[in-house]
Amino acid sequence: MILILNPNTRLHSQEYQQLMDHLAALQGVQVRVHKEQGVEQTLIELYLIGDTKQLEIADMQNLPCVERVVRVSQEYRILGRHKDDTRPAHFNYNGVRFGQDTLNIFAGLCAVDTPEHVERMLRALRDNGQVCTRMGAYKPRTSPYAFQGHGKNCLPYVFDLAGKYGIKVVAMEITHESHLDEIREALLMSGNPTGVMLQIGTRNTQNFELLKIVGRQQEHPVLLKRGFGITLDESLNAAEYLASEGNRNVVFGLRGMKTNMGDPHRNLVDFAHVPVVKRLTRMPVCVDPSHSVGSRAASPDGILDIMHATAQGVLAGANMVLVDFHPTPPQALVDGPQALLLKELPYFLEDVQIAREAYLRRCALAEKFKEK
Ligand code: PEP
Ligand code: MN
């Protein structure tokens, strides 16, 4: 059960103390406090865990400071959608809204290689009206002998250039808690010219200790990729780890499942799960067509499989697209064969727009035919 308190309830007030005393006296029920500092107000939610069946909604509603009560019947306590649950399905970060109702494109380099390539990428994004990108500094690689990413050495120029080209959010994978400190420090040293969305990759979806550490900070939102060999339920529980530690600004990423059944695609495209994740949780959903498809193969209609997969995700209501581009793919140090070209950026964006408009028309149609 979740008790949503009146906005700006003060932790030192007498009413709050009375409420906590009352809850402390309940047998077999533990209380977990979640505090969210917004721009205008502080929101406090109390999570009652344990034997909450005995509690009546009406009784809890009458307790001091309580604005609303939600009974959590299913899993995914914090990020899930529950009955009569009107908690928001969006958040804002560095001036960008991420919600189940928006669409943000994160085109960029799978792996940062040179400052020149970063600059060419970011300039193209700015010229095409984009304010988000992906930039990999820490690369989890199958082979220990493969390029592992430039790590902290590239952060100063990545962040400076992001600021120079008006990029507000950079999606960047981290694989270890020390990377979080390095990103924080580099942002500080460069005067916070941009924001960073921390990405947890598919190989770390169930790295619970990393999830807890990333969940304990609230300054950066998180893009959690679905694990490539586990169930959707297991991956959604991984997202819940982030939220249960305090960070609920989580975007859930679909990136294909590892199985030979997807051949010749790199992974089996799983974008039919976009509406499933939106139904089960309040997280915005990202699709990654590059790591799903893994090549620049095109169909006889002349459209790349990556663009077809993107359209499938967007048509199903995806809220974010993470996609690999590179100025000169043969020189890319990671995933060159699946990179789109800078000259394809305006084409890609227009193609996405077509799918987005079709999605919005589909929503309007569903509304028109809804049983009243
Ligand atoms: C990536 O986005 O660069 C990446 C490694 O993705 P994934 O974790 O989905 O393989
Ligand atoms: Mn990659």
Side-chain angles (χ1 to χ4, degrees), residues 242-262:
L242 294 162
S244 72
E245 291 293 332
N247 191 339
R248 55 178 62 185
N249 294 346
V250 184
V251 177
F252 189 80
L254 298 171
R255 46 83 68 213
M257 303 302 293
K258 199 179 183 74
T259 156
N260 290 344
M261 300 299 168

Side-chain angles (χ1 to χ4, degrees), residues 110 139 291 324 334-335 338:
C110 178
K139 300 305 301 177
H291 289 82
D324 291 1
V334 183
D335 286 347
Q338 69 192 27

Side-chain angles (χ1 to χ4, degrees), residues 109-111 134-136 138-141 173 199-205 223 225-226 228 253-256 266-267 288 290-292 322-324 334-335 338:
L109 304 181
C110 178
R134 58 158 297 148
M135 287 284 154
Y138 307 95
K139 300 305 301 177
R141 304 305 302 285
E173 177 165 359
Q199 185 177 323
I200 306 280
T202 194
R203 291 159 190 80
N204 276 311
T205 309
L223 167 61
K225 292 249 193 126
R226 173 185 196 168
F228 53 26
L254 298 171
R255 46 83 68 213
R266 182 172 173 180
N267 289 287
D288 176 343
S290 304
H291 289 82
S292 299
L322 191 73
V323 55
D324 291 1
V334 183
D335 286 347
Q338 69 192 27

Side-chain angles (χ1 to χ4, degrees), residues 175-361:
T175 58
H176 190 268
E177 59 180 290
S178 59
H179 302 156
L180 179 54
D181 297 329
E182 291 171 5
I183 288 171
R184 276 196 184 117
E185 191 179 321
L187 279 173
L188 199 65
M189 296 296 283
S190 52
N192 289 306
T194 188
V196 172
M197 177 180 279
L198 301 170
Q199 185 177 323
I200 306 280
T202 194
R203 291 159 190 80
N204 276 311
T205 309
Q206 284 189 315
N207 183 340
F208 299 119
E209 297 311 314
L210 182 63
L211 294 174
K212 285 186 206 165
I213 286 159
V214 171
R216 270 178 219 136
Q217 59 80 43
Q218 288 187 23
E219 54 197 294
H220 301 284
V222 186
L223 167 61
L224 176 74
K225 292 249 193 126
R226 173 185 196 168
F228 53 26
I230 57 177
T231 63
L232 184 63
D233 172 64
E234 286 164 335
S235 289
L236 295 177
N237 268 300
E240 192 69 13
Y241 260 90
L242 294 162
S244 72
E245 291 293 332
N247 191 339
R248 55 178 62 185
N249 294 346
V250 184
V251 177
F252 189 80
L254 298 171
R255 46 83 68 213
M257 303 302 293
K258 199 179 183 74
T259 156
N260 290 344
M261 300 299 168
D263 292 355
H265 287 161
R266 182 172 173 180
N267 289 287
L268 183 66
V269 180
D270 55 350
F271 299 169
H273 275 164
V274 169
V276 178
V277 178
K278 288 172 84 170
R279 177 170 72 242
L280 293 175
T281 78
R282 296 176 295 109
M283 288 186 277
V285 182
C286 173
V287 292
D288 176 343
S290 304
H291 289 82
S292 299
V293 171
S295 81
R296 289 182 51 86
S299 61
D301 55 22
I303 300 173
L304 299 180
D305 287 13
I306 288 181
M307 295 217 197
H308 272 302
T310 305
Q312 286 160 15
V314 173
L315 206 51
N319 307 112
M320 177 168 156
V321 179
L322 191 73
V323 55
D324 291 1
F325 274 73
H326 198 282
T328 50
Q331 289 176 8
L333 296 176
V334 183
D335 286 347
Q338 69 192 27
L340 302 182
L341 310 172
L342 294 192
K343 66 170 193 238
E344 290 170 330
L345 182 60
Y347 164 32
F348 179 81
L349 294 171
E350 198 170 329
D351 196 40
V352 166
Q353 203 46 43
I354 291 172
R356 178 68 179 171
E357 279 161 20
Y359 168 69
L360 294 174
R361 284 181 57 197

